[in-house]
Amino acid sequence: MEIAPRIAAIQDISGFGRCSLTVVLPVLSAMGSQCCPLLTASLSAHTAFPPSDKATFLDLTGQMEGTTAHWAELGVTFDAIYSGFLGSADQIRIIEDFYRKFRGEHTRVLVDPVMGDHGKPYRTCTPDLCAKMRQLADQADCITPNWTEAALLLDEDYANRPTEETGIRNWLERLSLDGRRSVVLTGVSLTEGQIGAGYFDRITGTTGFAMAHQEPAHFPGTGDLFASVLLGALMRGDELPGSVRQAVDFVQRCVACTLEVGTPPLEGVQFEPLLKELV
């Protein structure tokens, strides 16, 4: 038996609604990696739920440096560092320090630049956080933005996002920083009834697409599910195109399963019954 790859997952945890660590940890574990959470925030429910005076949001910035220092004292090493939702702009500085301490020659860094969706930043994503997220993403080996986040990273108008293949490939290449990082852009559609992802592979310098049937619904947390399956596949030694294909297909099956069951969309997709497919 081989030693499981060890991944530092710099993420929040939401008590209700499938997203962030409640998705990341089981998916990476099922795919054979050890997931070590570095918590950025604790929420009673994810931010797609309507604002409520009963909702809780605990910023854990103050705990991150202590955790980092303890891991360094223990001599922990990581095969990958994976960051997602951040609770404050100051956490960017802490993550950059984390890179200096734990990023080895062969450590893969994936940044899911969680900032917004449907053309708007999330209510917790301040202009300062958006600017510093771009700075963090510049240091990644691979990023996994949606269209909103891609527009923010490129300082483009979301309304002007390309819809044709040539324009999408152009955005992918621009997001790659002249080929220095891989890019996987989610929410891409080339033909009616199909949705998936476009990618730029920094290893081969090529772009490509992976599509699946578009289900008639939108669920929060699918970006976290996608990025986690993608990283899990990469850590098992798969190349980027095959990893993108697996992530697209798995998310589509989870969405279809959830629609069949009929649970409320805000609760997220029912991926649990399908985890065995990832083992």
Side-chain angles (χ1 to χ4, degrees):
M1 180 181 296
E2 296 182 356
I3 297 174
R6 183 180 296 142
I7 300 173
I10 308 174
Q11 306 269 349
D12 74 291
I13 187 164
S14 294
F16 189 68
R18 295 175 179 88
C19 70
S20 56
L21 271 176
T22 58
V23 170
V24 173
L25 203 159
V27 166
L28 290 178
S29 297
M31 299 185 76
S33 290
Q34 177 190 3
C35 181
C36 301
L38 177 58
L39 291 173
T40 62
S42 175
L43 294 77
S44 54
H46 64 61
T47 57
F49 283 99
S52 166
D53 58 3
K54 301 291 177 61
T56 65
F57 180 96
L58 178 62
D59 185 338
L60 294 173
T61 304
Q63 298 295 313
M64 293 175 68
E65 288 179 300
T67 300
T68 298
H70 189 205
W71 286 356
E73 181 182 336
L74 293 173
V76 178
T77 59
F78 294 102
D79 300 292
I81 303 170
Y82 168 27
S83 63
F85 178 87
L86 303 181
S88 68
D90 193 47
Q91 292 180 354
I92 303 292
R93 173 187 58 81
I94 297 172
I95 296 172
E96 290 176 330
D97 182 61
F98 191 93
Y99 289 169
R100 286 188 286 271
K101 285 183 169 68
F102 296 104
R103 187 176 193 174
E105 182 181 355
H106 301 293
T107 304
R108 188 189 304 269
V109 173
L110 187 148
V111 173
D112 186 7
V114 180
M115 293 184 285
D117 205 354
H118 305 297
K120 297 180 180 179
Y122 295 129
R123 63 177 183 267
T124 55
C125 193
T126 63
D128 187 30
L129 179 54
C130 283
K132 290 182 177 177
M133 184 69 83
R134 184 184 295 113
Q135 175 182 317
L136 184 68
D138 285 350
Q139 302 172 61
D141 298 310
C142 181
I143 60 171
T144 56
N146 60 29
W147 276 115
T148 301
E149 292 150 356
L152 288 168
L153 290 172
L154 293 175
D155 197 24
E156 291 277 4
D157 187 343
Y158 172 81
N160 294 331
R161 65 194 184 281
T163 56
E164 300 295 331
E165 182 175 327
T166 300
I168 297 171
R169 288 183 188 274
N170 177 260
W171 270 40
L172 287 167
E173 291 171 1
R174 289 173 60 197
L175 285 163
S176 78
L177 301 179
D178 295 323
R180 295 198 303 274
R181 66 184 177 194
S182 294
V183 179
V184 182
L185 175 62
T186 60
V188 171
S189 180
L190 297 175
T191 58
E192 187 175 353
Q194 296 279 306
I195 195 166
Y199 61 85
F200 173 88
D201 186 349
R202 70 170 185 163
I203 302 299
T204 61
T206 58
T207 57
F209 299 89
M211 296 291 136
H213 174 70
Q214 184 171 11
E215 302 292 343
H218 174 80
F219 293 88
T222 51
D224 298 324
L225 182 62
F226 179 93
S228 299
V229 175
L230 175 77
L231 180 58
L234 291 171
M235 299 309 293
R236 291 201 295 209
D238 294 350
E239 302 297 331
L240 185 69
S243 300
V244 174
R245 177 79 267 166
Q246 184 172 2
V248 167
D249 288 344
F250 187 74
V251 171
Q252 188 275 329
R253 289 195 298 274
C254 290
V255 170
C257 175
T258 307
L259 288 173
E260 183 178 343
V261 173
T263 51
L266 281 178
E267 293 183 14
V269 293
Q270 298 214 19
F271 67 91
E272 297 90 349
L274 302 180
L275 274 176
K276 58 184 179 292
E277 297 183 8
L278 299 175
V279 177

